[in-house]
Amino acid sequence: MSYLLTLFDKTPRRIRVVEGILQAKRTVTNLFWGQCYGLLPYLGADRHLKRATYDTWLQSQAAKGNLLIDQQMAWLTPQGLSVKQAWQTEHYQPQFGQWTWLANWQQLANRVLLALQLVSEYQHHNRRFAPLPVSFKDKVAVRQWFLQQSSLIGQELLKELTSYLTALEKADPRLADLFVFQLIGHETAGWTEAEAARRLAVARQDLFWMERDMWLFLAHSLWQQTGTLAALVQPLLAPSPLPKSVQTTVEAWQRGYSLAEISRFRHLKIGTVREHLLQATILVPEQVPVMKVLPPQIVARFAEQYQGSALTWQFQAQTNDPGLEFFYFRLLQIKAAQTVGKDGEDEFGSHR
């Protein structure tokens, strides 16, 4: 849990946003503030994080003098900032979080490890072995994949894995070593966690992030490729950072349909359609440029209504359609977050 301190800063951050990002809760609020905090690379990093565990950790850090907590906000004390910086210096730092949207890396790992175990035993003509303890769904998927492969599956996998490991070694040799010695096959048990930490000269808690990186790297390597291993993992890979329903809404908007029209023919609430576009402006801004959604008169009115940086605005409904008003309000905040320059100013010239 010590890594959690690195997700906070000396300026206040929303406690539930940090939690939601780790758990892969893709609400607009989590995505927006997660982007502002620079935490989107951690999306889904700890899907099984329990609130009770998280809250207990928060209180322990406050008791140690590392965090200050006020209602639903928390920020680092000078001591906490020092602890964070020390952790970042002494421990492995995630490298490939930009691909976190590609897959649930733990499910991908389970499927690949079981498949490689199965092929290893097959190559040694061994029909009796204890398979890795993965879900029934993953076992069925691996079995179906295996039955569709040729008798040359061992050679094909060796070639593909060699290519992957060569690229991974160039990125970080430790990750390539960890991948190889994590494999379980015929008369091969792989490294224990303690042995892996010792061999790689890292702390045991760093192994989680190293494993996540090597599987995200594999997911990206196989994304939109063909081949034996790609056929196994393709069903687990997302075609876009956007969920399918969100992508459908975006494509309809790009074809010129209004939000009301999309709501009608997709049988979605208008609020849901708006949320879809907000997600897209955050995750794939090139597909939904903010200013194409914002009427110029709205921009002018909000600039008069609110003072300072848009990122510090507190929403105040001024019309009889607060849902639409908040949609525009959040779009302006997203625009501000995207246009903050190196000098720390947003498009209104206000400091963050």
Side-chain angles (χ1 to χ4, degrees):
M1 296 286 291
S2 300
Y3 78 89
L4 283 171
L5 206 63
T6 66
L7 306 186
F8 289 89
D9 206 351
K10 59 185 178 181
T11 54
R13 290 186 173 180
R14 288 159 175 77
I15 289 171
R16 297 307 166 204
V17 167
V18 175
E19 176 189 19
I21 288 293
L22 291 170
Q23 295 171 336
K25 293 182 178 179
R26 288 170 169 255
T27 66
V28 171
T29 296
N30 286 342
L31 293 176
F32 170 67
W33 288 111
Q35 183 182 62
C36 291
Y37 300 156
L39 297 184
L40 289 187
Y42 291 89
L43 186 65
D46 196 353
R47 294 168 186 264
H48 303 296
L49 178 66
K50 303 295 183 183
R51 172 161 294 186
T53 303
Y54 176 65
D55 287 351
T56 298
W57 175 86
L58 287 169
Q59 294 303 320
S60 72
Q61 294 303 308
K64 291 178 181 178
N66 293 329
L67 274 181
L68 289 174
I69 301 174
D70 182 13
Q71 298 181 352
Q72 294 302 308
M73 307 293 286
W75 60 98
L76 295 175
T77 63
Q79 173 184 301
L81 183 60
S82 178
V83 173
K84 170 183 175 176
Q85 293 169 342
W87 173 273
Q88 292 174 323
T89 300
E90 298 167 5
H91 292 266
Y92 178 85
Q93 296 302 300
Q95 303 178 62
F96 305 123
Q98 70 271 26
W99 299 324
T100 189
W101 59 270
L102 267 171
N104 177 336
W105 68 271
Q106 290 167 316
Q107 183 183 21
L108 183 144
N110 287 341
R111 196 166 292 191
V112 171
L113 289 173
L114 178 61
L116 295 179
Q117 180 192 25
L118 175 58
V119 172
S120 174
E121 298 291 358
Y122 167 76
Q123 292 292 100
H124 290 86
H125 311 287
N126 182 25
R127 292 177 175 270
R128 295 182 177 276
F129 63 94
L132 290 170
V134 302
S135 71
F136 179 74
K137 180 180 180 180
D138 286 331
K139 288 179 180 178
V140 171
V142 169
R143 182 178 184 276
Q144 292 176 340
W145 164 82
F146 179 76
L147 293 175
Q148 295 170 356
Q149 305 308 311
S150 72
S151 59
L152 299 177
I153 184 174
Q155 298 175 35
E156 293 168 353
L157 275 179
L158 178 61
K159 181 179 179 181
E160 292 174 19
L161 285 173
T162 299
S163 175
Y164 159 67
L165 288 168
T166 299
L168 184 59
E169 185 175 30
K170 290 179 180 178
D172 191 328
R174 297 173 300 174
L175 299 183
D177 288 341
L178 181 60
F179 183 91
V180 171
F181 290 103
Q182 191 179 58
L183 301 180
I184 294 177
H186 184 71
E187 298 182 352
T188 302
W191 279 345
T192 64
E193 188 177 84
E195 185 177 11
R198 179 174 60 82
R199 296 269 191 133
L200 299 173
V202 298
R204 290 178 67 163
Q205 55 263 53
D206 293 347
L207 294 175
F208 172 85
W209 297 104
M210 296 177 74
E211 290 178 13
R212 178 175 181 260
D213 267 352
M214 73 185 192
W215 291 113
L216 289 178
F217 193 94
L218 176 65
H220 183 259
S221 298
L222 297 175
W223 189 50
Q224 295 184 335
Q225 286 192 12
T226 58
T228 304
L229 199 54
L232 172 68
V233 305
Q234 282 294 341
L236 300 178
L237 303 184
S240 156
L242 301 179
K244 185 177 180 180
S245 182
V246 176
Q247 187 67 52
T248 300
T249 294
V250 169
E251 290 170 356
W253 178 82
Q254 290 172 333
R255 291 197 298 271
Y257 290 100
S258 70
L259 301 193
E261 290 170 332
I262 296 171
S263 174
R264 284 195 296 272
F265 72 71
R266 293 209 61 209
H267 306 290
L268 297 173
K269 293 180 179 179
I270 188 66
T272 300
V273 176
R274 291 169 182 160
E275 287 182 2
H276 285 181
L277 280 194
L278 288 173
Q279 283 194 43
T281 58
I282 294 168
L283 296 174
V284 286
E286 67 280 2
Q287 291 191 30
V288 186
V290 174
M291 298 312 293
K292 286 191 175 182
V293 188
L294 274 168
Q297 63 271 26
I298 294 294
V299 177
R301 181 167 70 80
F302 274 58
E304 292 179 0
Q305 180 180 343
Y306 295 98
Q307 302 298 315
S309 168
L311 299 179
T312 65
W313 290 351
Q314 298 296 316
F315 178 67
Q316 297 175 358
Q318 299 288 319
T319 69
N320 57 3
D321 190 351
L324 177 61
E325 192 175 358
F326 184 77
F327 173 64
Y328 290 142
F329 175 88
R330 186 63 91 196
L331 281 171
L332 272 171
Q333 288 195 312
I334 292 170
K335 177 64 174 174
Q338 292 172 348
T339 56
V340 170
K342 292 182 180 180
D343 59 356
E345 294 185 348
D346 64 23
E347 74 276 24
F348 296 110
S350 300
H351 289 273
R352 289 184 65 172

